[in-house]
């Protein structure tokens, strides 16, 4: 039995692991990937200590720091449940069961899905949720990035260096990301920005061949020919495995108090899958 199992190996999970290790708490980190959303970023600016660093480099530093302190890390292992036992918890994964006295949930967020026809059918056949991971597969091709926030702008900027042409499909009237990122996209010579444009369907034949779109200002529909679709419309908390065990809010975030404790004693949470309660002093158990 471990003293603590941490679910998630992003910035929050690995930070928790470092501090646990420094206190000589026997700790296991379990995660489907290393780095979480940080690993999906091509460039990270003004992370404390670094004016600029790539997501991959930052994640490597996280991992090196944790492993230097002897933290045990299991990657590419998916947690699908937690069961309360007499003296702690069992963490159930697709590879086994692990026991711990306490749990820290730092499972982060996962990409939102569009929910349009063709999205499931062409997943990994032209539809992807990670430009950093899959961008090189679309070298010299026409692609679309769907979204209007920072994640979409980052993906579009990455793809301008790889793809022949990038269509930025934004359902809102204007782009919502940071000004510096909007400027980079607008200055690129191989980007078409399509605001007020709704994605109706991803079409193809074995692989993606195009997008069926609607102009929300005129209701005009058209099909755009391309070979890749990057869905970048935000993310949702990775919390399904906690349903019925701890309190979740309407956004599926884990509700925590000022000590980062959830509604279940012995289970804590950290990172962007959380919503804090009790900042003025209220906490479960008094």
């Amino acid at each position: 039995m471990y003293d603590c199992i941490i679910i998630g190996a992003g910035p929050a999970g690995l930070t928790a692991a470092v501090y646990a290790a420094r206190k000589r708490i026997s700790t296991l980190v379990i995660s489907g990937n290393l780095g979480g959303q940080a690993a999906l970023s091509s460039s990270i600016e003004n992370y404390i200590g670094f004016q600029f660093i790539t997501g991959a480099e930052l994640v490597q530093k996280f991992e090196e720091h944790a492993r230097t302190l002897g933290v045990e890390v299991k990657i590419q292992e998916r947690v699908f449940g937690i069961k309360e036992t007499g003296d702690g918890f069992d963490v159930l994964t697709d590879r086994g069961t692990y026991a711990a006295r306490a749990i820290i949930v730092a499972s982060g967020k996962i990409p939102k899905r569009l929910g349009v026809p063709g999205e499931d059918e062409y997943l990994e056949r032209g539809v992807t949720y990670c430009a950093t991971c899959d961008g090189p597969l679309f070298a010299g091709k026409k692609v679309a990035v769907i979204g209007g926030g920072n994640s979409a702008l980052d993906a579009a900027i990455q793809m301008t260096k790889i793809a022949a042409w990038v269509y930025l499909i934004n359902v809102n009237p204007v782009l919502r990301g940071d000004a510096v990122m909007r400027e980079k996209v607008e200055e690129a010579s191989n980007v078409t920005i399509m605001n007020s444009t709704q994605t109706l369907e991803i079409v193809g034949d074995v692989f993606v061949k195009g997008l069926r779109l609607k102009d929300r200002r005129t209701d005009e529909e058209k099909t755009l020919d391309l070979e890749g679709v990057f869905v970048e419309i935000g993310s949702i908390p990775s919390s399904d495995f906690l349903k019925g065990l701890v309190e979740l809010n309407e956004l599926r975030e884990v509700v925590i108090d000022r000590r980062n404790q959830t509604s279940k004693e012995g289970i804590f949470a950290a990172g962007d899958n959380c919503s804090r309660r009790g900042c003025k002093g209220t906490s479960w158990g008094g």
Side-chain angles (χ1 to χ4, degrees):
M1 175 177 282
Y2 293 90
D3 291 328
C4 178
I5 289 179
I6 299 170
I7 301 171
L14 292 178
T15 298
V18 165
Y19 278 90
R22 286 173 59 85
K23 298 294 185 181
R24 298 297 188 265
I25 296 171
S26 64
T27 302
L28 171 67
V29 177
I30 305 173
S31 182
N33 61 60
L34 185 65
Q37 294 183 83
L40 305 181
S41 300
S42 60
S43 59
I44 296 173
E45 297 181 6
N46 297 317
Y47 190 96
I48 191 68
F50 303 98
Q51 285 185 303
F52 173 87
I53 190 170
T54 68
E57 289 172 332
L58 185 60
V59 168
Q60 184 180 9
K61 291 183 180 295
F62 289 161
E63 182 186 19
E64 289 172 353
H65 193 169
R67 291 193 186 277
T68 297
L69 292 171
V71 174
E72 185 179 352
V73 182
K74 292 184 179 292
I75 302 300
Q76 295 185 337
E77 193 159 347
R78 185 180 66 85
V79 174
F80 62 81
I82 298 174
K83 183 190 300 181
E84 193 171 7
T85 63
D87 54 355
F89 303 92
D90 282 344
V91 176
L92 314 177
T93 80
D94 54 3
R95 296 190 183 183
T97 300
Y98 307 91
R101 294 181 174 85
I103 305 291
I104 298 176
V105 179
S107 49
K109 293 186 175 182
I110 56 177
K112 280 185 180 178
R113 301 176 70 84
L114 275 173
V116 300
E119 183 176 16
D120 291 337
E121 182 178 354
Y122 298 111
L123 180 63
E124 298 182 359
R125 296 184 177 187
V127 175
T128 178
Y129 299 86
C130 179
T132 303
C133 314
D134 301 325
L137 300 175
F138 299 88
K141 299 180 179 180
K142 293 182 180 179
V143 302
V145 175
I146 301 176
N150 279 337
S151 60
L153 296 176
D154 182 63
I157 292 167
Q158 291 185 61
M159 293 311 299
T160 59
K161 303 168 186 176
I162 299 171
W165 201 268
V166 179
Y167 296 92
L168 184 56
I169 313 297
N170 179 27
V171 72
N172 295 304
V174 295
L175 297 173
R176 297 177 287 106
D178 294 342
V180 64
M181 298 187 73
R182 293 200 306 268
E183 290 171 4
K184 288 180 181 179
V185 171
E186 290 164 356
E187 291 170 359
S189 60
N190 59 339
V191 174
T192 299
I193 300 172
M194 302 176 69
N195 290 322
S196 298
T197 302
Q198 181 179 355
T199 301
L200 301 178
E201 182 181 6
I202 300 171
V203 298
D205 179 13
V206 182
F207 293 95
V208 167
K209 296 295 183 184
L211 285 177
R212 188 163 64 87
L213 305 170
K214 181 174 78 171
D215 189 320
R216 301 185 71 189
R217 295 161 294 194
T218 64
D219 287 335
E220 178 186 358
E221 294 187 15
K222 67 177 181 180
T223 298
L224 191 64
D225 294 330
L226 45 78
E227 297 170 274
V229 177
F230 295 85
V231 180
E232 296 283 357
I233 58 173
S235 55
I236 57 176
S238 176
S239 60
D240 284 351
F241 63 94
L242 295 168
K243 285 181 179 178
L245 182 64
V246 303
E247 181 183 354
L248 306 177
N249 66 13
E250 67 279 2
L251 300 176
R252 294 166 51 184
E253 296 168 323
V254 183
V255 179
I256 58 174
D257 68 9
R258 58 190 174 89
R259 300 190 191 95
N260 281 61
Q261 184 169 298
T262 69
S263 57
K264 174 66 69 175
E265 185 176 355
I267 299 182
F268 300 81
D272 57 9
N273 63 333
C274 298
S275 175
R276 186 172 296 278
R277 173 192 282 180
C279 293
K280 295 182 180 180
T282 302
S283 65
W284 287 285

